[in-house]
Amino acid sequence: MFITSEWPVLKPKQPQPNTVKQRAEALQAAGVSVEVFTFSAGTAYGYLAAWTRLRPRLHPRRYDLVHAQDTSNVLLALPKRVPLVVTLGTRDLRRVIQHLFTRFLARRADAVIVGSDEMRDRIRLRTPVYVIPPGLDEGTFTARLLDVYRSLVPERFSAS
């Protein structure tokens, strides 16, 4: 399951490789069942309403893992019931370095994805950190993403 507050792309006039929608479609094409949970972020009420909608559905019999597309989206997956992956964007990196709460959320994940070696080197987490650059072609990006998932749930995401 993907958790995102950015669906579809918020700024359609700007090219945005590897958007959440593209990732979900590429994973589905690779044979992975993907559900995208979307919500309106920005207010505490928006997060509380989304958390209330998501919690009854979020259990191991339904999902193999949850992928939060932003550190703030980790809130919706807590307390964890299934393995959790979080993608840190550039703005997340600034927040991880500057704010303890964002670092706390990133540490709740079982795996963290960043866009560059520099980002990986700048964050300090005990959680495994994987580098998947944003400019990769969709096939390579999907294969790298599946490698991350496979590290957490090898029996579900075995190489085909």
Side-chain angles (χ1 to χ4, degrees):
M1 165 180 278
F2 281 169
I3 299 175
T4 185
S5 58
E6 299 180 12
W7 180 274
V9 178
L10 293 178
K11 299 174 185 170
K13 292 182 181 179
Q14 297 177 356
Q16 294 186 6
N18 299 321
T19 64
V20 175
K21 184 176 180 183
Q22 290 170 328
R23 290 175 190 166
E25 290 169 350
L27 286 168
Q28 288 172 336
V32 176
S33 176
V34 178
E35 183 178 331
V36 179
F37 180 84
T38 62
F39 70 104
S40 297
T43 66
Y45 176 77
Y47 280 95
L48 180 60
W51 186 85
T52 303
R53 284 189 352 252
L54 180 60
R55 287 317 290 175
R57 299 168 38 196
L58 196 57
H59 54 81
R61 290 184 307 272
R62 186 167 185 171
Y63 301 108
D64 296 308
L65 62 83
V66 171
H67 188 155
Q69 300 299 312
D70 183 281
T71 49
S72 60
N73 297 340
V74 170
L75 288 169
L76 302 185
L78 297 178
K80 284 190 318 185
R81 294 180 179 171
V82 296
L84 175 63
V85 176
V86 64
T87 297
L88 297 180
T90 306
R91 66 188 169 115
D92 287 318
L93 178 62
R94 284 191 291 272
R95 290 189 299 193
V96 166
I97 293 168
Q98 297 172 356
H99 301 285
L100 293 175
F101 187 63
T102 301
R103 187 181 301 250
F104 170 82
L105 292 176
R107 287 182 175 164
R108 307 284 73 77
D110 297 295
V112 174
I113 298 172
V114 296
S116 69
D117 290 325
E118 177 189 358
M119 288 177 70
R120 182 194 59 216
D121 295 342
R122 290 185 64 193
I123 61 175
R124 289 173 173 71
L125 300 172
R126 291 185 185 119
T127 303
V129 178
Y130 299 86
V131 177
I132 304 179
L136 296 175
D137 65 86
E138 204 59 48
T140 304
F141 190 93
T142 301
R144 300 275 300 274
L145 194 55
L146 284 170
D147 287 341
V148 174
Y149 296 170
R150 208 172 280 121
S151 73
L152 299 175
V153 190
E155 65 279 359
R156 173 58 182 96
F157 297 98
S158 63
S160 301

